[in-house]
Amino acid sequence: MRVLLSVVASLLLLAGAHATALTTILKAGEKACYYADVDGAGEKVGFYFAIQSGGNFEIDWVVMDPEDRIIIEGDNERQGDYIFTAKQIGEYSFCFANEAAGTDKLIDFDIMVESEPRHVLSASQAPLKDHTSALEESTYKINGLLSSIQRLQKYFHTRHHRNYSTVLSTQSRLFWFTILECVAVVAMSLAQIWILKTFFSRSGSRRFRV
């Protein structure tokens, strides 16, 4: 039983992926790059990003291999979720550009480098092969379901931030519109008072001969 539990723990560790979850603010006119190391050719690399606030929630981005060749890129995108196979060992770059926009952007993104090694059983663990194979497949299924839940949570997190940003923007517009409306009403009232005062002043200055 102890051996079986150790195998399950090993599978859970192997099913995981090395991931980096970050949140950053990209100033207007700036460009920022982040890097991830790939230790073996054929590893899967996942890249997720979402603009939480700023402007129209759009950003330019590009992913390049260790030789600075473009793998994938996009212009004026709000979010993306991509997976590609790394063909080379080395440092991959993930860059965001906010050069054309006039507002700061709040960006959430994940960089995941994932390999899927299979657990090799020793001779003493050979009788457990059938059980571990089933456990291994179940572990990978659970890992896939957890990844789906995480991505769904990220989607709702992004929607929350965007809706909150929209609410703040709407409140700000309503506030300034109300101020402008009050100023207009006061100005119209003063203008009416001045017109009436001028009218009666001119009327009172007239002379009539009887």
Side-chain angles (χ1 to χ4, degrees):
M1 187 64 181
R2 183 176 299 175
V3 175
L4 187 60
L5 291 175
S6 63
V7 171
V8 173
S10 301
L11 291 175
L12 289 172
L13 291 175
L14 292 174
H18 177 67
T20 302
L22 295 171
T23 299
T24 183
I25 296 178
L26 191 61
K27 300 291 184 179
E30 286 187 351
K31 181 179 180 180
C33 293
Y34 301 87
Y35 303 90
D37 291 324
V38 175
D39 298 328
E43 289 188 349
K44 294 180 180 179
V45 180
F47 176 53
Y48 168 85
F49 72 92
I51 310 304
Q52 303 295 336
S53 64
N56 294 323
F57 309 100
E58 296 176 346
I59 201 74
D60 299 334
W61 60 275
V62 62
V63 179
M64 293 183 290
D65 65 9
E67 297 182 358
D68 292 334
R69 292 179 298 190
I70 296 176
I71 300 176
I72 48 177
E73 62 179 338
D75 296 328
N76 297 325
E77 293 189 3
R78 295 188 170 190
Q79 67 183 72
D81 192 358
Y82 303 92
I83 297 177
F84 62 91
T85 301
K87 298 181 179 180
Q88 292 178 294
I89 299 174
E91 191 176 63
Y92 286 73
S93 60
F94 304 80
C95 299
F96 298 100
N98 193 26
E99 297 174 349
T103 58
D104 299 345
K105 302 291 178 64
L106 177 64
I107 308 173
D108 280 355
F109 65 97
D110 287 344
I111 300 173
M112 297 164 285
V113 179
E114 181 178 11
S115 59
E116 296 182 352
R118 294 289 176 171
H119 184 72
V120 179
L121 295 176
S122 62
S124 60
Q125 296 174 336
L128 298 175
K129 182 176 181 180
D130 295 335
H131 298 285
T132 54
S133 297
L135 286 173
E136 186 176 4
E137 295 302 324
S138 298
T139 302
Y140 281 107
K141 288 181 181 179
I142 293 173
N143 183 57
L145 292 174
L146 289 176
S147 298
S148 300
I149 293 173
Q150 287 178 347
R151 295 185 186 280
L152 187 61
Q153 288 178 336
K154 291 176 183 177
Y155 170 77
F156 285 118
H157 180 71
T158 301
R159 293 291 300 178
H160 168 73
H161 273 277
R162 290 180 181 173
N163 291 337
Y164 182 70
S165 178
T166 302
V167 169
L168 290 181
S169 177
T170 303
Q171 287 179 346
S172 177
R173 292 179 182 180
L174 288 174
F175 172 78
W176 289 112
F177 179 79
T178 304
I179 295 297
L180 181 62
E181 188 178 21
C182 293
V183 171
V185 170
V186 172
M188 290 178 62
S189 301
L190 294 176
Q192 289 176 352
I193 294 173
W194 180 80
I195 292 172
L196 290 174
K197 184 178 180 180
T198 304
F199 176 76
F200 284 110
S201 296
R202 289 180 179 178
S203 300
S205 63
R206 293 182 182 180
R207 295 182 179 181
F208 298 94
R209 181 178 295 178
V210 179

